[in-house]
């Protein structure tokens, strides 16, 4: 009887641990996020995953507020290149690049890092809503290999900057969606 009770509790505990391990804010090198799974920032402010906007059936990777009753998307990765089924995979590949693939591993979108990265890389969704790629050992530093804040969609969040960055040559601007069903760039910048 005791053995039964013990294994019952162990089983429950393992179930609880495996459940809670889904609510992660990071993926590391050679791991991936499939359609249906999400990353949640540490304090639960933002969530990253696959979504279909409005009445569209297309799948996009985006970031939205975790606890808003109406899904409010603040950033979209593959704005102009939707996936037409649930085969999407967001991967941190072996050379440290962030790549979104669909059927047959065809690349739908990538973060387009300018150089190959040798060190192990971590993708993390921060509570600011910033999705960052950083070296695994650069825990607290704010030096990122790539960050979504440098590539705004249609939403400016606190901490984001607009305009020309002289150091990187980046021109950051926000662009409206084409419609509520289509996040591809619309008429207004
Ligand atoms: C989805 O897109 C792929 C190519 O990207 C195409 O081969 C396939 O037929 C499409 N499927 C549907 C249901 O439209
Ligand atoms: C990682 O992705 C980038 C961008 O698509 C690509 O250029 C690079 O070859 C990929 N690395 C590997 C090991 O597949
Ligand atoms: C996937 O690859 C296989 C073999 O390379 C090919 O036969 C098939 O048509 C491809 N499917 C799509 C949807 O591209
Ligand atoms: C990727 O970066 C290179 C050089 O930085 C640039 O020429 C190219 O247009 C970029 N590609 C995409 C898809 O953004």
């Amino acid at each position: 009887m005791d053995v039964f009770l013990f294994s019952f509790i162990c089983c429950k505990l393992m179930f609880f641990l495996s459940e809670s391990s889904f609510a992660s804010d990071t993926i590391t090198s050679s791991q991936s996020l499939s359609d249906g799974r999400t990353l949640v920032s540490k304090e639960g402010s933002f969530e990253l995953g696959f979504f279909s906007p409005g009445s569209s059936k297309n799948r996009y990777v985006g970031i939205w507020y975790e606890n808003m009753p109406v899904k409010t998307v603040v950033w979209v990765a593959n704005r102009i290149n939707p996936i037409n089924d649930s085969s999407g995979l967001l991967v941190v590949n072996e050379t440290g690049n962030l790549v979104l693939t669909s059927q047959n591993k065809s690349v739908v979108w990538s973060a387009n890092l300018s150089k190959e990265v040798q060190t192990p890389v971590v993708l993390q969704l921060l509570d600011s809503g910033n999705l960052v790629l950083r070296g695994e050992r650069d825990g607290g530093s704010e030096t990122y290999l790539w960050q979504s804040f440098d590539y705004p969609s249609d939403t400016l969040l606190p901490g984001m900057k607009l305009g020309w960055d002289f150091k990187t040559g980046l021109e950051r601007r926000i662009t409206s969606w084409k419609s509520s069903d289509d996040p591809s760039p619309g008429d207004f910048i």
Side-chain angles (χ1 to χ4, degrees), residues 7-178:
S7 56
F8 178 75
I9 290 169
C10 275
C11 194
K12 281 279 169 200
L13 188 65
M14 272 161 70
F15 180 72
F16 171 77
L17 288 175
S18 66
E19 280 284 285
S20 59
S21 71
F22 274 98
S24 169
D25 67 343
T26 53
I27 51 178
T28 55
S29 297
S30 307
Q31 286 186 328
S32 61
L33 193 75
S34 55
D35 196 335
R37 293 195 51 198
T38 62
L39 295 183
V40 177
S41 65
K42 207 181 215 166
E43 305 290 335
S45 314
F46 288 94
E47 189 165 8
L48 170 134
F50 292 78
F51 74 101
S52 294
S55 59
S56 169
K57 292 210 162 54
N58 286 334
R59 304 298 285 166
Y60 297 87
V61 166
I63 297 171
W64 55 86
Y65 290 100
E66 218 265 301
N67 43 23
M68 264 196 197
V70 176
K71 185 175 278 182
T72 307
V73 174
V74 297
W75 184 78
V76 183
N78 54 323
R79 283 185 88 167
I80 55 172
N81 215 357
I83 299 172
N84 64 9
D85 59 18
S86 58
S87 65
L89 267 187
L90 187 65
V91 186
V92 177
N93 79 8
E94 289 83 352
T95 38
N97 217 318
L98 179 60
V99 184
L100 177 62
T101 64
S102 67
Q103 288 166 19
N104 277 5
K105 304 223 163 117
S106 56
V107 174
V108 171
W109 173 89
S110 101
N112 199 20
L113 298 197
S114 48
K115 53 176 187 278
E116 285 195 1
V117 187
Q118 301 304 334
T119 55
V121 166
V122 171
L123 178 74
Q124 184 172 25
L125 179 62
L126 305 180
D127 272 304
S128 57
N130 197 3
L131 180 68
V132 303
L133 261 185
R134 58 172 174 78
E136 203 162 51
R137 293 180 204 90
D138 302 342
S141 95
E142 292 198 357
T143 325
Y144 304 128
L145 302 163
W146 177 89
Q147 56 177 331
S148 63
F149 271 18
D150 278 339
Y151 303 90
S153 293
D154 71 336
T155 307
L156 198 67
L157 292 171
M160 283 172 88
K161 292 176 186 144
L162 279 187
W164 202 274
D165 183 324
F166 292 107
K167 256 191 262 168
T168 59
L170 278 175
E171 200 192 343
R172 309 188 196 92
R173 50 196 195 181
I174 60 175
T175 314
S176 64
W177 285 24
K178 197 155 260 172

